[in-house]
Amino acid sequence: MSTQTENTLKDTETQDAGHTDERGDGEFLMSLGKRVREIRDRRGMTRKLVAREAAVSERHLAHLEAGEGNVSIVLLRHISRALDVSLIELLAPDAEDTVEKRLIRRFLERLPQHRLEEVVFRLMRDFGHEEAVRRKRVALIGLRGAGKSTLGSRLAKEMGVPFIELDREIERETGMPSSELFALYGQPGYRRIEHRTLERLFREQEKGVISVGGGAVSQPETYDLLLSNCLTVWVKAQPEEHMARVMAQGDLRPMAGNDEAMEDLKRILAAREALYAKADTVVDTSGETVDESFMKLRQLVMS
């Protein structure tokens, strides 16, 4: 192969690498902008407020959120890759960074995404609130009809602490029934209200038994809040018993116009089973009397 041909191939490879890098930089800037926008929304801050607090123009912030960040950010990214460190490690001040933190970050960076949730769960368990503090609040999770309200109110009386049904607390705080909240704000809006109400409860109530709606576990931030601040108990039952108990309370909505309601219920249980299983403990009320289930719950919580 001639020298000229080799040079041509090298130039082509360099150009291809450059195009790939440019594409990667574009994706990085888009991801950065999305992250900034998400955090701003979560904080409930307007773009104008963030721009003022950061001493940058609102236009500059808008460009950043649109994935059109300053090129200096990209250059820092290139340097961090050349040094084989993360941007966080590159930017962290020495006073705030330690060898231990750097080792932990590198360990986490090497973990596949599906293992990170397991690590977070273990950290919350081992290094969150002390066990004695967590046990002052008991959160009962699970689908409607498992017996959360019946067992929860009885447990609260036994412990001498308030019994709180989170759904009722949301209705009291907003002055609207849950059905209207769902209609107005949809499920994402309702879950945000649910999370905010739970945060307030934890600020105000050092002790209590809380009955939590079945869908709360599907919101990671809300479920993490429960796991780190409460002793969580999954109150479970067979699908047939869930349905029968709800109907025994006079609520025929689960069966109204839906011949496949039982199959839907089974699918929901199957989809959430792995989430419910993260609870500290489980009380299976299937085929048991209220007294039998309560004795199990009492022993687990008060042992």
Side-chain angles (χ1 to χ4, degrees):
M1 184 181 294
S2 67
T3 302
Q4 183 177 358
T5 302
E6 290 178 355
N7 289 337
T8 301
L9 287 172
K10 288 178 181 178
D11 290 342
T12 302
E13 290 171 357
T14 301
Q15 290 172 3
D16 289 342
H19 289 318
T20 302
D21 208 37
E22 287 173 7
R23 285 196 296 271
D25 290 341
E27 291 171 0
F28 167 74
L29 288 174
M30 288 297 294
S31 177
L32 176 64
K34 181 182 178 183
R35 180 69 176 152
V36 170
R37 187 169 62 253
E38 286 176 348
I39 294 174
R40 179 171 63 78
D41 288 342
R42 197 158 60 236
R43 298 283 193 275
M45 301 174 72
T46 64
R47 188 179 290 158
K48 178 179 291 186
L49 178 59
V50 174
R52 187 181 68 204
E53 293 291 326
V56 299
S57 70
E58 196 172 343
R59 181 183 178 189
H60 177 87
L61 183 58
H63 281 306
L64 179 63
E65 291 187 357
E68 302 167 3
N70 193 295
V71 70
S72 59
I73 295 291
V74 175
L75 294 178
L76 276 177
R77 178 173 179 253
H78 291 183
I79 293 170
S80 70
R81 284 194 310 197
L83 295 172
D84 192 26
V85 297
S86 67
L87 271 172
I88 294 174
E89 191 170 341
L90 190 65
L91 296 172
D94 290 339
E96 299 176 4
D97 207 13
T98 64
V99 173
E100 291 81 6
K101 287 181 180 179
R102 289 197 294 271
L103 287 173
I104 290 171
R105 279 198 297 270
R106 289 176 185 175
F107 174 77
L108 293 176
E109 286 168 2
R110 288 172 172 79
L111 279 179
Q113 184 66 35
H114 70 277
R115 295 295 304 279
L116 291 177
E117 186 176 348
E118 180 185 348
V119 172
V120 171
F121 176 63
R122 291 186 181 183
L123 287 173
M124 286 192 303
R125 280 288 184 271
D126 296 341
F127 302 102
H129 287 358
E130 293 295 331
E131 184 72 3
V133 175
R134 281 205 310 129
R135 281 180 176 270
K136 291 181 179 180
R137 300 191 195 98
V138 179
L140 305 182
I141 64 173
L143 285 184
R144 188 179 174 202
K148 292 178 297 182
S149 295
T150 301
L151 296 175
S153 58
R154 191 166 168 178
L155 179 64
K157 185 177 180 180
E158 180 88 7
M159 296 173 63
V161 299
F163 174 60
I164 302 163
E165 291 187 279
L166 186 56
D167 288 346
R168 300 288 175 267
E169 195 67 22
I170 291 170
E171 292 180 351
R172 187 181 69 81
E173 184 168 299
T174 61
M176 298 173 63
S178 297
S179 57
E180 289 187 23
L181 289 171
F182 270 101
L184 276 175
Y185 304 112
Q187 182 158 304
Y190 183 84
R191 294 303 171 203
R192 285 194 294 271
I193 297 170
E194 181 178 59
H195 184 87
R196 188 172 67 238
T197 304
L198 198 58
E199 287 181 319
R200 177 184 60 77
L201 283 175
F202 288 157
R203 288 194 302 270
E204 297 175 356
Q205 297 287 349
E206 184 180 343
K207 302 177 182 180
V209 176
I210 307 171
S211 174
V212 182
V217 298
S218 61
Q219 187 69 19
E221 290 184 353
T222 300
Y223 198 19
D224 288 347
L225 192 64
L226 281 167
L227 291 171
S228 58
N229 286 275
C230 303
L231 177 73
T232 49
V233 182
W234 174 18
V235 183
K236 65 181 294 188
Q238 292 299 313
E240 294 78 10
E241 293 192 68
H242 277 287
M243 189 71 74
R245 290 169 185 172
V246 171
M247 294 180 68
Q249 295 167 7
D251 188 350
L252 303 181
R253 287 175 299 173
M255 300 301 293
N258 187 359
D259 295 333
E260 298 181 354
M262 184 60 69
E263 290 305 314
D264 290 341
L265 179 58
K266 289 178 179 178
R267 280 193 287 269
I268 293 172
L269 277 171
R272 293 180 183 168
E273 186 171 6
L275 294 171
Y276 288 142
K278 291 181 180 180
D280 290 286
T281 190
V282 180
V283 171
D284 193 337
T285 64
S286 301
E288 293 186 341
T289 65
V290 173
D291 286 342
E292 289 171 335
S293 296
F294 176 71
M295 290 305 294
K296 286 200 303 187
L297 176 61
R298 182 183 183 279
Q299 185 177 2
L300 286 168
V301 170
M302 304 183 73
S303 60

